[in-house]
Amino acid sequence: MIFEPELECMDVEARRAVQGERLRALVARVAERVPLYRERLAASHVKAGDIRGLGDLTRLPLTRKTDLRDTYPFGMLAVPRRDCIRVHASSGTTGRPTVVAYTTADTDLFARVCARSLAMAGAEPGMMLHNAYGYGLFTGGLGIHYGGERLGMTVVPVSGGMTERQLLLIQDLKPDVITCTPSYALTLVAECEKRGIAPDALSLRYALHGAEPWTDGMRVQIDRGLGVRCTNIYGLSEIIGPGVSNECVEARDGSHVMEDHFYPEILHPETGEPVPDGGEGVLVITTLTKEALPLLRYWTGDITSLTRGTCACGRTLVKMALIKGRTDDMLIIRGVNVYPSQVESVLARVEELAPHYRLVVTREKNLDALEVQAELAGPFAREIVRETLSEEIVEADHQLRALRGRITKLLHDTIGVSMRVTLLPPGGAPRSEGGKLNRVTDERPRA
Ligand code: DLL
């Protein structure tokens, strides 16, 4: 079903007019209420009245995460703090988190875009939603929770972790839809396999995964392992949380961006110049309707591309490809740009491997080096009972040695740079305990 058909299937030109109108109002609002924007607009000689529509968007300054950090916690609010009814924060790995705030109208918008996302993914009123995104400062839990309620679903607010209890609830309550990170979905798949629970014994039909990069290889594993048709949900706290875009279950070939509220552009990662449709670059988003924390041209750092046209599902909303990675996750290995997701896609093509891996970046003689630790799949590794899989064992076993050689060649031929490959026994690579999973260990000395 389509949650807001008149908006999601709107004529593209009519939508552009609405977007242009919203952009004009937005610029006037931030120029008046947010000191940082007032100064930036003045510095770029843009007066609010100069902005007449989307065609003027590139005249506006970019906003970066550092702007939110520099004005921490509430310096970029466009409303008095007392008018905000909720705050969330993004999980800063170092230092202070980025705090975001919502007015009543913002939480209403948040619920609506999450309801749209759930409907895109196949959910319908009356279905039951097992929401295994973390509740708390993270936007995933509460964001999707209120989206489910808005759609008219029965929401089970499980939150992340405690896999055994999750499986028990799934078996007993019989939900139709599950939401969690893709890495946690794989943890659930593995747990089902361990307990001999067949996918068709589960009631689940649809799944929405996001909050971290994943690939079509993982999609196959999750579809098969949980007996679902899973789709990608994308979002970030600075813009609203989950619900910035979602794939439709009909096509699953790109996530429809809720562009009547979050206007996307793709810019070149180094020059910042606009990239034409279909080309890859950094996703930059302008929040057209948010009240508490409106952002002009926010540099997400996420690499993707946009495609337009009416979709099989009937929606006219622009689609974005699966996120390839973040500009700050990009590794430069002997001059070649490498994203962890590219390595993941290659590993997914090797049937002897499980969908779990770890990347270790080191520095050898002033050059970055990448070690790919690939985990063997259970069936292939049946004979390997050892806890560790040492260099000597791999060398002595012609099957393992040949496999390692094949993976090394495949990575080199596909990505164009040599990487050291080591094999891990089943269970050797990190697993998600419920939240986002970090698969990259950076052991380079800090500059
Ligand atoms: O991760 C919001 C979210 C919750 C999205 C639940 C989807 C589902 P943050 O913690 O602020 O917000 O992290 C945002 O996570 O800039 C991306 O780098 C990454 N990310 C989010 N969704 C995806 C996705 C939430 N579908 C950051 N694919 C973003 C790849 C994603 N990366």
Side-chain angles (χ1 to χ4, degrees), residues 33-106:
R33 301 191 187 172
V34 184
L36 180 137
Y37 283 131
R38 192 178 312 128
E39 287 155 25
R40 292 262 165 96
L41 289 167
S44 32
H45 308 289
V46 178
K47 292 199 194 66
D50 298 344
I51 303 300
R52 287 177 309 272
L54 287 181
D56 297 313
L57 187 63
T58 52
R59 298 180 60 191
L60 298 172
L62 293 170
T63 311
R64 293 181 187 266
K65 198 172 180 86
T66 46
D67 295 321
L68 287 161
R69 287 220 184 98
D70 293 347
T71 53
Y72 174 87
F74 296 125
M76 285 189 70
L77 291 193
V79 299
R81 202 278 307 140
R82 58 182 306 119
D83 291 350
C84 296
I85 62 163
R86 201 198 301 170
V87 296
H88 277 292
S90 78
S91 45
T93 39
T94 49
R96 291 193 165 116
T98 306
V99 173
V100 298
Y102 305 73
T103 62
T104 305
D106 292 333

Side-chain angles (χ1 to χ4, degrees), residues 90-91 133 138-140 144 209-214 232-238 241-242 300 302 323 326 436:
S90 78
S91 45
Y133 275 115
F138 177 55
T139 50
I144 289 180
H209 303 305
E212 62 186 9
W214 60 310
N232 181 46
I233 179 161
Y234 169 82
L236 61 167
S237 344
E238 295 91 318
T300 66
D302 295 320
I323 301 286
R326 296 180 52 77
K436 301 189 191 220

